[in-house]
Amino acid sequence: MADRWRVEVDRRVCIGSGMCVAMAPDGFRLDPARQSHPTATEADAAESLLAAAEGCPVEAIVLTAAGGGEAVFPPEE
């Protein structure tokens, strides 16, 4: 698995549940409209980021390997 991940949130899908902020407070923030934003577009690979992506009720968080683009979450089928 890659050492660094690209972190994206599809704000068309995000429902503002705040689960990502609860699971990875250093990785995500909610704006005044309760839309999630990553705190950085690239971050060190971390279990908290993966847990946030897996715990998102609408799978709005996408993690890919920085540089290579291989899917981390959701996994490619």
Side-chain angles (χ1 to χ4, degrees):
M1 194 173 293
D3 292 337
R4 290 194 54 81
W5 293 339
R6 181 161 177 75
V7 183
E8 299 175 74
V9 175
D10 186 340
R11 284 182 287 283
R12 295 170 300 169
V13 176
C14 177
I15 60 171
S17 74
M19 291 295 296
C20 55
V21 175
M23 299 182 102
D26 293 336
F28 299 93
R29 64 177 175 79
L30 295 180
D31 66 17
R34 293 202 49 85
Q35 292 289 290
S36 178
H37 297 267
T39 56
T41 56
E42 263 189 35
D44 290 335
E47 283 296 320
S48 62
L49 290 175
L50 183 57
E54 291 174 339
C56 177
V58 294
E59 292 190 357
I61 300 169
V62 176
L63 304 173
T64 54
E70 298 88 16
V72 174
F73 188 89
E76 291 180 341
E77 308 228 357

